[in-house]
Amino acid sequence: MPSPAAKRVSLAELQRRSSRSSRDIDEGATPTLRDLAEALSFSPDDGRIWLNDQRMVLWRSSTFGSLRAELIARLGQEQARSLLTRVGYAAGARDAELVRRTWPDSDPVNAFHAGPQMHKLGGIVRPEAIAFEFDIARGSFHADFWWHDSSEDDEHIAAFGLGTEPACWMQIGYASGYASAFMGKFIVYREIECRATGARACRLVGRPAEEWEDPELDQHYFAPGLSAAGIRRSLAGPAPAPAAGAAAKPGGALAAAGSGQSALLGISSSFSAARHLIERVAPTPATVLFSGPSGAGKELFAQTLHAISPRAGAPFIAVNCAAIPDTLIEAELFGVERGAFTGASSSRAGRFERAQGGTLFLDEIASLSFFAQGKLLRALQERRIERVGGSREIAVDVRVVAATNVDLRAEVRAGRFREDLFFRLNVFPIALPPLKERRDDIPLLMEAFLRRYGEQYGRRVAGFTPRAVQALLQYDFPGNVRELQNLIERGVIMAGPDEPIDVVHLFRGGEIEAPQGLSPGPDGRLTELRAPGAGVATTPPAGEVPARAGASAGAEDYLDALLAARYNVAAAARSLGLSRAQLAYRLKRQGLL
Ligand code: ZN
């Protein structure tokens, strides 16, 4: 038997395999155009059209045209373009996820090419690849397409005639969203020729965001409600502790914003809605209440709200109410006078006073005791506080922003939270979605954290392996953005120099378990269940273990099995015909665990 070292696949070999181009397209390999077409089913009796498990609609191109013309008339060309670009981006990212989920074993070239094919199937445009080349592990990407007979151009030309600007906005968004989700990094397409300007066909070129020379030129279309100037301002703005040089980097608006400690990053519709709300409320003094699960970015939103408000020049003071013992919370919030209690050897200001003129962020507000809630209510109503042990009232001009990860209404009903305080706080509620409901944002966040931790630890990391991208895009992230951030930080530390981050660098604590809808096929691999009505893979009888597996398997086989089992070591071991301990030992010996 060859030594494990000999079996281990060299990095150069993996990279050679991971670099793929349009020359490798195999028209007969899954998913073919026919496979994609078969995923589409019409169910006229109950008024449904399905693309696998996603409901679709069939509507007139001219209906889209009217909606689009109306948007341009109502919002102006820039806003309408931005909106359509983002809607297209979300659709592209979703299609990439659908392809990955439905054909998990397809060759990366065909999986990538499925994006343009789905556009063709949808009757939107007829893409023709001129050339594309990508390497997921190294993060390199270049694509060049002819875009024939775009429906968006037809509608644009019908409504506005020929012009000087390209018009395939939603399709630029779609192509960028598909490629970004596929690559696990932010890819931006540009339309360098367009039929709406009189060209014979449209031509789309895609590159990683940071490789475009003048990134603000089109990236602002991907950011909700922000002009290019606005993005530049927010990069240079007073938000606390941006990573050194982040604003000066040619990494592009969104990408560079992500490397700052405090930049909000996202493109999904739910994220955009929340972002839009803070932009609306920021100029006012209104109290804001953020709700959402832990790790969803409530403090980051609160910081951004402060940074774009007229109070930006004054302090932002954060208090985690759950972290301060009940006996001390009053002194923390309102300050103490010397001698007020044992240990109060000098007078000091509380958080309210320290936030004077600025913003006070009260996180985990529901954990305040009933007593402390009463004190806080008084401060909010009267805009005056009294230090503990003091007799003097101090006027405070503070905007209060609160956050909760529990349902405050339910707390009120249960008698644990004062109703009057709830109504004081619930002036402008903003709900932040869990990360699994904004998966479109994962590629942007992955790249931003990769860059941040690469800089922080002085490591050059090559990017992510395809299976790491796949794992991150499928994972449920119970810990939300914070968990993703932790995983990437861990990956940056674990991966070797110039080595792409792989699943074994990311998931070491058994985070991933086999999701429902997977079942082992006859070859020992787990197979994604098809949409309702499609074939279901069955469990092979015990003993029918594939001959290639087990003792003779190499590092790659182990990794494949781990991937197929969603990094559940026990399940991977079963599929290889090994015990869990045997597989764990082999993985360790090969430096894979
Ligand atoms: Zn066009």
Side-chain angles (χ1 to χ4, degrees), residues 14 16-22 24-26 29-31 99-100 103-116 132-137 141 178 182-183 465-467 470:
L14 276 175
R16 190 191 63 75
R17 283 189 216 167
S18 69
S19 175
R20 306 302 300 269
S21 80
S22 43
D24 303 324
I25 296 179
D26 175 357
T30 54
V99 166
R100 179 181 292 116
W103 296 280
D105 296 327
S106 64
D107 183 280
V109 166
N110 293 294
F112 172 69
H113 198 231
F132 62 77
E133 186 155 19
F134 60 82
D135 185 328
I136 299 178
F141 182 91
Y178 192 93
F182 178 79
M183 291 291 294
T465 64
R467 52 188 152 215
Q470 184 176 342

Side-chain angles (χ1 to χ4, degrees), residues 303-319:
Q303 281 171 358
T304 307
L305 171 65
H306 172 74
I308 62 176
S309 80
R311 294 171 173 266
F316 173 88
I317 302 289
V319 187

Side-chain angles (χ1 to χ4, degrees), residues 175-227:
S176 303
Y178 192 93
S180 297
F182 178 79
M183 291 291 294
K185 71 182 289 179
F186 190 29
I187 305 293
V188 170
Y189 273 82
R190 278 191 188 169
E191 193 173 13
I192 57 169
E193 286 174 52
C194 180
R195 217 150 49 83
T197 66
R200 187 177 55 83
C202 307
R203 189 165 179 181
L204 270 67
V205 173
R207 292 183 191 167
E210 73 272 12
E211 284 178 23
W212 287 106
E213 267 173 20
D214 34 14
E216 289 97 351
L217 195 67
D218 48 9
Q219 277 191 44
H220 70 273
Y221 294 119
F222 292 88
L226 277 185
S227 61

Side-chain angles (χ1 to χ4, degrees), residues 488-576:
I488 307 268
E489 181 175 8
R490 185 193 294 173
V492 168
I493 294 169
M494 292 299 299
D498 290 319
E499 185 189 6
I501 294 176
D502 202 354
V503 285
V504 291
H505 304 128
L506 293 167
F507 297 101
R508 299 173 60 80
E511 289 92 339
I512 292 193
E513 290 186 7
Q516 288 185 340
L518 288 168
S519 156
D523 63 352
R525 287 169 190 262
L526 289 190
T527 313
E528 191 78 43
L529 295 183
R530 292 274 179 140
V536 173
T538 52
T539 311
E544 237 180 71
V545 171
R548 66 159 182 84
S552 64
E556 268 226 310
D557 297 293
Y558 297 144
L559 286 175
D560 284 346
L562 269 179
L563 171 71
R566 298 298 186 272
Y567 320 104
N568 178 328
V569 176
R574 270 198 304 280
S575 77
L576 289 165

Side-chain angles (χ1 to χ4, degrees), residues 287-371:
T287 301
V288 175
L289 177 62
F290 288 104
S291 61
S294 294
K298 295 189 288 289
E299 181 158 0
L300 202 52
F301 265 86
Q303 281 171 358
T304 307
L305 171 65
H306 172 74
I308 62 176
S309 80
R311 294 171 173 266
F316 173 88
I317 302 289
V319 187
N320 183 345
C321 301
I324 299 169
D326 202 37
T327 48
L328 296 180
I329 189 80
E330 201 188 345
E332 271 305 316
L333 290 178
F334 307 114
V336 279
E337 289 296 350
R338 192 157 77 95
F341 52 76
T342 316
S345 53
S346 60
S347 299
R348 63 185 162 85
R351 310 274 177 121
F352 260 94
E353 277 180 74
R354 280 156 55 196
Q356 191 69 267
T359 304
L360 178 65
F361 175 59
L362 300 171
D363 201 359
E364 301 206 43
I365 190 88
S367 62
L368 284 182
S369 70
F370 226 72
F371 176 73

